[in-house]
Amino acid sequence: MLVSTDFPGIYDSASVYSENTHWTDITDQAILSTGSNNTKSGIIDLSEFLNDGKPVYIAYKYTGQKSTAAQRTWTIPLFTVTNILEDDGARMPVAASVADAAWGVVKIGNPDVQWKISATNLKVTGGAANSDAAESWAITKGLVLNMAVPDKGKPIKNMAANRLASHYYIYANPGTYTATFEV
């Protein structure tokens, strides 16, 4: 796992390895799987990468060595970056899911080994036994760590639908809420 505050957002090997791009390895801050499924990484503090409202990029770099054994497969089913507000500890998502991070893929070496991105996970399947060495990067879009994903409305009627006679919504937790309707 790596973080860059100066990656130019061009998803190619020249930009990843440019002398102007610097990557900080943060792998040691994560809890890594020992083969068990769904090992949570734990909380990784990214506050040192706050960059005056400029984006940072988070990357997963996969390296597969040529070996008589098959290369490993990595699957990352969840990805969340959350801004925790200093004043009240409220959690505001910067990237609330794998899909929100809008990943770019850079493959280097063995063209058969690359990250596959879906709405629900990141996955890279290494080569078979005796495959050539491989390197593949999955890099987020630029994320501004001290901002949050804006709220999204929930459509309850579209232009083509008949007049809406009624609408209800059940809140998950008790409390006082303000419902806003935009027409």
Side-chain angles (χ1 to χ4, degrees):
M1 291 176 41
L2 303 126
V3 176
S4 177
T5 58
D6 54 14
F7 177 67
I10 301 168
Y11 297 86
D12 62 19
S13 59
S15 297
V16 167
Y17 283 109
S18 167
E19 63 184 33
N20 298 319
T21 301
H22 304 90
W23 293 97
T24 301
D25 190 334
I26 60 169
T27 307
D28 63 344
Q29 294 185 44
I31 299 166
L32 301 177
S33 173
T34 57
S36 301
N37 287 338
N38 299 320
T39 300
K40 293 184 178 184
S41 67
I43 296 172
I44 299 171
D45 184 357
L46 298 174
S47 60
E48 71 179 278
F49 302 104
L50 285 172
N51 195 15
D52 294 328
K54 296 178 186 164
V56 300
Y57 296 83
I58 300 171
Y60 291 102
K61 177 185 172 188
Y62 176 89
T63 305
Q65 304 297 325
K66 185 167 186 156
S67 170
T68 56
Q71 298 168 357
R72 300 262 180 170
T73 294
W74 292 1
T75 303
I76 300 170
L78 299 170
F79 179 84
T80 305
V81 178
T82 304
N83 182 9
I84 301 174
L85 303 180
E86 290 180 11
D87 53 349
D88 62 2
R91 296 174 175 268
M92 305 293 291
V94 175
S97 68
V98 170
D100 288 340
W103 302 85
V105 174
V106 178
K107 58 184 177 179
I108 302 168
N110 185 344
D112 296 328
V113 177
Q114 69 174 332
W115 287 97
K116 304 287 186 202
I117 313 298
S118 75
T120 58
N121 69 40
L122 305 171
K123 184 174 185 175
V124 61
T125 303
N130 299 310
S131 293
D132 290 335
E135 183 177 325
S136 185
W137 293 65
I139 307 170
T140 64
K141 68 179 179 184
L143 302 172
V144 180
L145 296 178
N146 58 352
M147 296 184 78
V149 175
D151 289 338
K152 296 177 185 173
K154 178 180 172 147
I156 59 174
K157 180 191 174 306
N158 66 28
M159 294 284 290
N162 290 332
R163 182 175 161 250
L164 188 65
S166 67
H167 174 73
Y168 69 92
Y169 180 84
I170 299 173
Y171 291 93
N173 297 308
T176 303
Y177 297 90
T178 302
T180 304
F181 293 88
E182 183 176 312
V183 179

